[in-house]
Amino acid sequence: MSVLQIPFEDAFRFDPSPTFAELRENQPVARVRTLAGAEVWLVTRYDDVRMVLADPRFSRAAVVKQGAPRVALAKPMPNSLTTTDPPEHTRLRKLVTPTFAHRRIERTRPWVAELSAQLAEDVARAGDGADIRQLVALPLPIQVICQLLGVPYEDRERFREWTELGYSMKMAEKDLVEDAMTNLTAYIENLVTKKLANTDQPAEDLLDELVRAREEGDRLSQDELIAFGVNLLVAGHETSANQISSCVATLLRWPENWAKLVADPSLVPSAIEELLRFNRFSEVGQLRVAVEDVELHGVQIKAGEGVMAALNSANRDPRAYDEPDELRLDRQDNKHLSFGFGPHFCLGAQLARIELQESLLALVRRFPRMSLAKPAAELEWRRVLVSGLAELPVNLGLEGLEGLEG
Ligand code: HEM
């Protein structure tokens, strides 16, 4: 069996590589070599991706074992939600589930909506050529996670740089990646230490809650506490920021879609689900390590081997979707896998939905005639693990509009 290099050559752009469709049809369990030099299996069909993500024979804890295959340049962090299996994982997840529960997180919606409206005004002030990534997609989720977690917003430049490097897919940055992760961990450790020293002055944030849970005797080690902080800070802004840009860009790429939402903003929730399905999330797949031998489509996956579940490919599988390459803003019963599946299903899914819906609503209302300031094909993509645009310059189409409204 030939071994393909992943990310594929035609990665880091709008449309998924045609190699995914080819593999889904002809080689549903394919052999690929990752940037870190590991050979792993890649599954590309919807049902197989769900199976790998939910089946206990495929482990996340084994990803941090000595000699485990690696996908990215950065080493995964042990003791975190993303590197444990049940029952350890269940114990950790229970500590944060209440904060992210649907009803509780919905309470942030009015605040996120207000923030989105303010950011839309920043865009209006910047005028034509305004960069939606810098003015909305990054500041919105960063402010939200800082507030929720109890991380000072003034420190954003520093943790942004470490996150950016930590996710890098550029071989040239290999050495910087390790340093960035060390700095990020030390930064969170410092915050946790400060909070531990001030438990008599509780703050209303998640990191503080976790510190208190530890003080009150919940089984939570110092390493687990720090891993929570790093994990939530990074996962809590990077993916949302990329998806906000991708959603706006995909809509503007075919302007009739923007017009549809302007005419009927009640379409926004279903449009966001469809955009999450349609947009790419990562150039690779979610890694698991087999803990026993498994046979899949005639391929023997041996214990200890890595398996990547390609979410983007699953989301375009014609076995799961009618006309998967068509963007239908009112698509119903859309069980996309962009937030994963099984025990590691995205903890922040509802928060991300609120951020995506409210930022889009604010932009659609404020700029009904917004358009791309550059042809879609010329927009620059970042070479990082989580797919996203490096820039999103737009023209606002405000000329004459204010006069009409007045
Ligand atoms: C559009 C934005 C987002 C997308 C597309 C996304 C996607 C995902 C996916 C696919 C996973 C599962 C990974 C796997 O199974 O290997 C995941 C897990 C996770 N996400 Fe998100 N995410 C987003 C936003 C957020 C936000 C805002 C938070 C905020 C706290 C967050 C926190 C997490 C955490 C903590 C996990 C690990 C859960 C676990 O292992 O139990 N995510 N996310």
Side-chain angles (χ1 to χ4, degrees):
M1 190 182 284
S2 64
V3 182
L4 298 167
Q5 186 72 37
I6 196 160
F8 302 138
E9 262 175 24
D10 46 8
F12 306 108
R13 53 178 210 191
F14 266 111
D15 296 312
S17 166
T19 307
F20 283 112
E22 239 172 83
L23 293 178
R24 275 195 309 266
E25 290 320 304
N26 306 318
Q27 219 181 313
V29 186
R31 198 79 178 140
V32 291
R33 184 176 298 105
T34 71
L35 204 62
E39 273 191 28
V40 300
W41 300 105
L42 180 74
V43 300
T44 45
R45 290 187 184 168
Y46 186 89
D47 285 347
D48 298 336
V49 165
R50 271 181 30 145
M51 186 275 284
V52 167
L53 294 179
D55 189 320
R57 291 175 300 172
F58 298 101
S59 158
R60 274 302 295 172
V63 164
V64 282
K65 289 227 169 95
Q66 190 75 29
R70 288 230 320 257
V71 172
L73 297 175
K75 276 198 208 119
M77 195 173 185
N79 305 307
S80 76
L81 277 181
T82 59
T83 49
T84 44
D85 294 329
E88 280 323 288
H89 174 263
T90 322
R91 172 178 64 86
L92 290 174
R93 187 137 173 159
K94 265 196 195 141
L95 293 170
V96 285
T97 306
T99 302
F100 291 92
H102 195 286
R103 271 176 61 191
R104 184 150 163 205
I105 213 76
E106 273 298 323
R107 287 193 223 141
T108 61
R109 191 184 281 276
W111 175 61
V112 176
E114 202 184 303
L115 212 53
S116 301
Q118 284 166 15
L119 294 171
E121 290 314 312
D122 291 347
V123 172
R125 273 191 290 278
D128 282 348
D131 185 349
I132 295 293
R133 176 170 164 82
Q134 291 304 331
L135 293 169
V136 181
L138 278 167
L140 180 67
I142 292 179
Q143 281 191 62
V144 172
I145 199 67
C146 279
Q147 171 90 6
L148 197 82
L149 206 53
V151 169
Y153 185 60
E154 311 83 82
D155 293 343
R156 62 191 178 281
E157 298 285 328
R158 289 197 289 162
F159 68 71
R160 260 311 299 155
E161 192 190 324
W162 298 326
T163 305
E164 188 88 24
L165 279 168
Y167 273 138
S168 173
M169 292 294 257
K170 289 184 197 151
M171 272 321 257
E173 291 179 344
K174 196 164 168 282
D175 296 336
L176 298 176
V177 168
E178 212 60 23
D179 287 351
M181 292 316 287
T182 308
N183 285 331
L184 190 54
T185 311
Y187 171 74
I188 295 290
E189 188 169 2
N190 189 27
L191 271 186
V192 166
T193 310
K194 274 193 203 148
K195 284 187 182 283
L196 278 169
N198 288 312
T199 41
D200 51 330
Q201 298 157 16
E204 290 298 307
D205 60 61
L206 181 55
L207 219 46
D208 212 73
E209 241 175 67
L210 289 170
V211 165
R212 266 180 286 146
R214 184 172 135 78
E215 292 289 290
E216 283 159 19
D218 264 319
R219 275 198 305 132
L220 182 68
S221 72
Q222 171 97 348
D223 284 350
E224 287 168 342
L225 189 51
I226 293 166
F228 256 126
V230 173
N231 191 195
L232 289 167
L233 182 59
V234 172
H237 81 271
E238 177 71 22
T239 32
S240 293
N242 286 318
Q243 287 305 317
I244 291 173
S245 294
S246 295
C247 286
V248 173
T250 300
L251 289 167
L252 296 179
R253 191 180 171 198
W254 297 292
E256 65 276 15
N257 287 314
W258 193 260
K260 263 189 210 163
L261 295 184
V262 170
D264 183 5
S266 72
L267 270 178
V268 163
S270 73
I272 289 294
E273 297 309 306
E274 176 66 345
L275 288 159
L276 281 166
R277 180 191 73 80
F278 193 83
N279 289 334
R280 45 209 313 174
F281 164 72
S282 161
E283 302 302 335
V284 293
Q286 301 309 115
L287 182 70
R288 300 293 188 268
V289 170
V291 285
E292 56 183 89
D293 293 354
V294 180
E295 192 190 317
L296 187 59
H297 299 296
V299 171
Q300 286 294 330
I301 301 173
K302 299 213 176 61
E305 289 188 325
V307 182
M308 281 201 306
L311 303 182
N312 288 144
S313 172
N315 281 343
R316 298 285 189 115
D317 187 348
R319 289 161 196 79
Y321 296 98
D322 184 28
E323 301 294 341
D325 294 325
E326 234 174 66
L327 180 73
R328 295 184 185 163
L329 300 184
D330 57 355
R331 195 182 283 271
Q332 300 299 309
D333 200 25
N334 188 347
K335 294 194 179 70
H336 65 73
L337 299 181
S338 297
F339 289 122
F341 187 72
H344 295 278
F345 180 80
C346 178
L347 179 73
Q350 192 52 27
L351 177 60
R353 286 185 163 119
I354 293 172
E355 291 172 353
L356 287 162
Q357 292 169 3
E358 295 303 329
S359 58
L360 186 56
L361 266 173
L363 291 174
V364 161
R365 283 192 185 123
R366 184 68 175 89
F367 310 108
R369 295 196 214 141
M370 189 188 259
S371 60
L372 289 177
K374 248 189 186 182
E378 287 173 23
L379 291 172
E380 203 189 314
W381 290 79
R382 301 156 64 231
R383 268 198 100 76
V384 290
L385 193 59
V386 182
S387 307
L389 287 160
E391 49 164 6
L392 181 51
V394 293
N395 288 330
L396 308 180
L398 288 178
E399 313 75 43
L401 211 60
E402 257 119 19
L404 283 177
E405 275 168 3

